[in-house]
Amino acid sequence: MEAVIVENLVKRFKDVVAVNGVSFKIVRGEIFSLLGPNGAGKTTTIHIIATILKPTSGRVLVFGHDVVREADIVRKKIGIVFQDPSLDNQLTAYDNLYVHGRLYGLRGRELEERILELLEFVDLKEYANKQVRYFSGGMKRRLELARGLMSNPEMLVLDEPTIGLDPQSRAKIWDYIRELRRKYNVTILMTTHYMDEAEELADRIAIMDHGRIIAMGTADDLKNMLGSDVIYVKFDREVPEGICKVLPSLRDCRKIGVDTLELLVENATKSLPEVLSNIYVNGYRIVEVSYKRPTLNEVFLHLTGRELRDSLESNPLTQRRGRWR
Amino acid sequence: MDLSPFIAMVYRQVKRWWSARSRVITTIVNPLIWIIFLGLGWGAVFQPGSINSPSIPGIPVNVIAKTIEEYFNRLFGGVDYITFMVSGMAAMTVFMASFLGGISVIWDKQFGYLKETLVAPAPRWLVITGRIVGDSIVNTLQSLIIILLGFAITTRINPIGIPVALVYLFTTSIAFSSLGVIIALKLGSIEGFQMIVNLLTMPLMFMSGVFYPVNTMPDWMKVFAQFNPLSYSVHSVRYWLTGANVGLEYMNPTIDIAILAAAAITLLVVAGWAFNKATVED
């Protein structure tokens, strides 16, 4: 049975379409990741799944319950860790979990034991009575993971779980996420703009851009879209018309960006000499050549013509509209 | 009905207050400044005994001074000005502190904690009621501190009246904390909130009888005072603490509590409604 069914989800904010006809299903017990640049509509999508935003149109079911009409039931079944920290800095770690537990209707011994168990799980037991404002970013994140698990949810929603953390803390959070899935048997829906994170954790990945899902599958499925090797050829001017026709047998050949050509081949080391000589023979000048085994970044580049990294940094407009992420 | 979410929020507000005790000092210092400077400053004016009074031939100066003092004491309900001020200040402390609760709603909005409460599977009105009640407990405690400090300044406070006065203060706090929450939920920024609150608190404060009696106010001001819940709070708290009955003729402790309770319930319902409509979008 599916944990989440999303059908034709659309969310419009005034004149901006943040989510534009998204559909996907999440299987119980899997880690499902929405991957995409800032402003792609990931956060909006999971906010709708978590019942804190209402969809403009479309249907979302979480464990068979409609997120609009049965919001209260859905809220009981999920735990959520928001992208921005949402702890009470003036309370201790213990009290943060205590208040959360009570908000979710836990009480007494059961509540107390749960708090201690989860503090132990995220290795914060010795800091239980310290105020959260003295915690490092990684510690806060771990505490939020623990808080998300307080109500024993069937699904945990993680919005950019390692954003702003140093590499060691990130690796540690990944360990906790893998471990909590094993130990607490929860379905996990996460968003990320880190390709390594999606690849590392997710069973299945949906790549989002401009409010749409442009590809979905396991990391291997996605990379296999590109075959075994990708060659990038950068010209000294615009990519010449009809260049693909003069090149030898390729799996795919397309223009990405103004001056860059993407070639999919079985074996780059063997194909490269022939490709290059064909280009020279036709009188074109090459500025740069590179080839790689495809990663999710190449997949994203293949699908959108933009690098995932670039679209993170180069577009201040979408960054300022961060709240739609 | 599961009251757990309500208790969660009461616990949170009280615990936060307790963990930031340095802030408690700020909330107490402010009314103390009013009491010390305005209270002691004006208090001496209304007690002309120590100063040279105008002399009328044939009447001894001390008799004139005595008469003037009695006149003022009658205006202040049979107590001296400092007692009058201190008892009113108990209500004002709650009033001012109540709006600070609104600021903490905006902080929660900005620090993301509001989302945490919005996504909880608990009735929203119960969550916000817990929050307002928690704040009100804190505010009432702060007011109690002011009352106790009042013992150092005046001997006219009746200790037996304190518990009753606290009930009135708590009700007052529910009303104004709800108002603060409503304003905070409608306004996104601290700046906007502070502007509205400043525009609101000063007139409400001056038209409540904290600093001077309501019954000697100009008629137009009396009209406003009648519609100001704080007037009833000041009147009743002063009545229970000092026995002074200074207010409009129809005011009495029963009417006071009825009006305060009505204001509290109405504003609480509106706050619940506003919180119900709150989303993470704004």
Side-chain angles (χ1 to χ4, degrees):
Chain A
M1 185 195 160
E2 279 85 12
V4 175
I5 301 174
V6 176
E7 282 171 358
N8 263 319
L9 181 65
V10 175
K11 177 67 185 178
R12 214 170 272 129
F13 293 106
K14 289 189 180 118
D15 47 351
V16 181
V17 184
V19 177
N20 192 1
V22 161
S23 302
F24 60 88
K25 285 178 182 166
I26 302 175
V27 182
R28 261 180 207 263
E30 76 173 336
I31 299 184
F32 185 88
S33 174
L34 294 172
L35 171 71
N38 295 342
K42 308 187 299 282
T43 296
T44 306
T45 306
I46 66 167
H47 275 179
I48 292 169
I49 293 171
T51 77
I52 41 184
L53 279 180
K54 289 205 168 64
T56 306
S57 68
R59 199 164 73 119
V60 180
L61 299 180
V62 177
F63 298 107
H65 300 283
D66 188 285
V67 293
V68 179
R69 283 181 288 110
E70 299 168 288
D72 272 351
I73 303 177
V74 172
R75 282 175 193 173
K76 286 205 176 78
K77 288 181 178 289
I78 60 171
I80 179 161
V81 176
F82 296 104
Q83 179 171 342
D84 307 313
S86 63
L87 293 165
D88 189 327
N89 283 332
Q90 280 176 38
L91 293 184
T92 62
Y94 186 95
D95 280 341
N96 264 288
L97 298 187
Y98 178 84
V99 170
H100 182 89
R102 291 223 78 150
L103 277 175
Y104 282 73
L106 299 171
R107 62 175 74 196
R109 272 192 75 95
E110 185 198 1
L111 172 58
E112 204 171 308
E113 280 164 10
R114 184 89 184 146
I115 293 173
L116 294 176
E117 180 198 337
L118 284 168
L119 281 176
E120 175 112 52
F121 172 69
V122 294
D123 296 316
L124 289 174
K125 206 168 181 180
E126 55 184 308
Y127 305 103
N129 293 315
K130 268 247 174 303
Q131 279 189 34
V132 170
R133 62 183 149 147
Y134 301 117
F135 282 21
S136 69
M139 289 164 80
K140 285 185 183 172
R141 222 51 188 156
R142 273 144 60 194
L143 184 58
E144 287 188 303
L145 278 183
R147 189 176 67 177
L149 290 167
M150 274 299 291
S151 55
N152 215 346
E154 291 176 51
M155 180 169 75
L156 191 59
V157 179
L158 306 172
D159 194 1
E160 300 278 5
T162 65
I163 197 165
L165 297 183
D166 58 79
Q168 288 93 327
S169 307
R170 291 185 68 204
K172 217 164 169 187
I173 295 284
W174 291 349
D175 288 341
Y176 286 117
I177 292 174
R178 277 189 287 255
E179 177 66 14
L180 71 87
R181 190 226 329 226
R182 201 185 58 73
K183 193 168 171 195
Y184 297 101
N185 195 23
V186 284
T187 307
I188 294 174
L189 164 60
M190 57 180 272
T191 74
T192 183
H193 64 255
Y194 298 116
M195 287 161 295
D196 54 346
E197 185 161 293
E199 226 174 318
E200 187 78 30
L201 291 175
D203 299 314
R204 284 194 307 137
I205 299 166
I207 300 183
M208 276 190 89
D209 192 37
H210 296 311
R212 292 175 181 281
I213 289 182
I214 50 179
M216 187 156 42
T218 64
D220 285 338
D221 287 344
L222 293 170
K223 285 185 282 190
N224 283 339
M225 286 168 62
L226 302 193
S228 34
D229 282 335
V230 198
I231 300 172
Y232 297 106
V233 181
K234 192 170 168 188
F235 292 88
D236 62 342
R237 56 193 177 104
E238 237 182 271
V239 177
E241 290 290 326
I243 183 84
C244 287
K245 292 196 189 88
V246 306
L247 296 178
S249 61
L250 302 163
R251 286 183 52 156
D252 192 15
C253 166
R254 70 160 81 177
K255 182 176 154 183
I256 52 166
V258 179
D259 54 2
T260 308
L261 196 65
E262 174 200 78
L263 308 169
L264 305 185
V265 295
E266 289 305 332
N267 188 332
T269 39
K270 289 201 174 126
S271 309
L272 253 181
E274 200 180 346
V275 167
L276 295 184
S277 64
N278 276 18
I279 292 175
Y280 282 126
V281 165
N282 284 278
Y284 301 118
R285 268 178 58 85
I286 298 170
V287 185
E288 255 176 59
V289 175
S290 62
Y291 76 90
K292 332 191 147 132
R293 296 192 59 81
T295 67
L296 288 177
N297 186 50
E298 279 67 49
V299 176
F300 189 79
L301 184 58
H302 174 78
L303 292 167
T304 66
R306 288 178 292 135
E307 295 221 26
L308 188 48
R309 276 188 290 273
D310 284 350
S311 36
L312 284 181
E313 286 145 15
S314 66
N315 197 341
L317 216 83
T318 43
Q319 290 217 325
R320 212 171 303 132
R321 294 173 182 168
R323 63 182 61 178
W324 300 323
R325 277 171 295 186
Chain B
M1 175 99 232
D2 182 10
L3 287 179
S4 206
F6 171 82
I7 295 163
M9 292 315 282
V10 171
Y11 178 88
R12 173 189 183 232
Q13 296 306 108
V14 175
K15 202 68 192 277
R16 266 172 78 90
W17 176 69
W18 189 245
S19 68
R21 266 157 293 176
S22 59
R23 253 194 340 212
V24 177
I25 301 190
T26 5
T27 45
I28 291 168
V29 162
N30 204 355
L32 271 188
I33 288 177
W34 285 98
I35 290 175
I36 290 170
F37 294 107
L38 208 65
L40 294 180
W42 278 110
V45 174
F46 299 125
Q47 279 174 313
S50 55
I51 314 163
N52 287 334
S53 302
S55 62
I56 300 169
I59 304 174
V61 168
N62 61 343
V63 172
I64 296 173
K66 192 91 190 126
T67 313
I68 295 174
E69 192 176 333
E70 268 172 20
Y71 165 75
F72 281 123
N73 280 4
R74 212 167 60 226
L75 272 189
F76 298 134
V79 295
D80 55 358
Y81 184 67
I82 188 78
T83 310
F84 178 86
M85 262 282 293
V86 169
S87 53
M89 206 47 71
M92 206 191 88
T93 308
V94 157
F95 171 72
M96 296 302 255
S98 294
F99 286 103
L100 287 180
I103 291 198
S104 81
V105 170
I106 297 183
W107 281 128
D108 278 1
K109 226 183 215 180
Q110 293 186 348
F111 286 118
Y113 195 80
L114 200 67
K115 273 190 273 189
E116 153 79 0
T117 49
L118 286 177
V119 79
R124 294 262 180 97
W125 65 268
L126 195 61
V127 172
I128 200 70
T129 304
R131 184 178 185 124
I132 290 168
V133 168
D135 278 341
S136 296
I137 291 171
V138 166
N139 297 342
T140 309
L141 283 175
Q142 285 179 174
S143 184
L144 177 64
I145 297 174
I146 291 294
I147 295 172
L148 295 179
L149 288 174
F151 280 108
I153 301 169
T154 169
T155 54
R156 296 292 303 273
I157 292 175
N158 171 17
I160 296 158
I162 294 179
V164 191
L166 291 183
V167 173
Y168 282 79
L169 289 168
F170 181 77
T171 316
T172 309
S173 178
I174 297 277
F176 288 109
S177 296
S178 304
L179 183 60
V181 166
I182 295 164
I183 299 171
L185 286 172
K186 292 291 154 200
L187 293 171
S189 69
I190 301 270
E191 292 81 3
F193 180 84
Q194 242 142 13
M195 196 191 69
I196 298 279
V197 165
N198 280 343
L199 281 177
L200 207 63
T201 49
M202 288 304 242
L204 283 179
M205 193 170 85
F206 285 121
M207 289 189 288
S208 68
V210 182
F211 301 112
Y212 36 77
V214 177
N215 42 5
T216 52
M217 284 178 183
D219 285 342
W220 65 266
M221 215 190 273
K222 272 188 202 163
V223 174
F224 286 105
Q226 276 178 2
F227 290 99
N228 180 1
L230 188 59
S231 310
Y232 300 91
S233 177
V234 169
H235 172 260
S236 53
V237 170
R238 185 171 284 144
Y239 176 85
W240 290 113
L241 288 182
T242 68
N245 188 357
V246 198
L248 301 169
E249 281 101 62
Y250 68 89
M251 288 185 177
N252 67 49
T254 316
I255 287 182
D256 292 343
I257 193 71
I259 288 175
L260 286 175
I265 290 166
T266 312
L267 290 166
L268 191 58
V269 167
V270 177
W273 170 83
F275 195 56
N276 228 343
K277 298 201 76 173
T279 63
V280 288
E281 280 169 71
D282 42 39

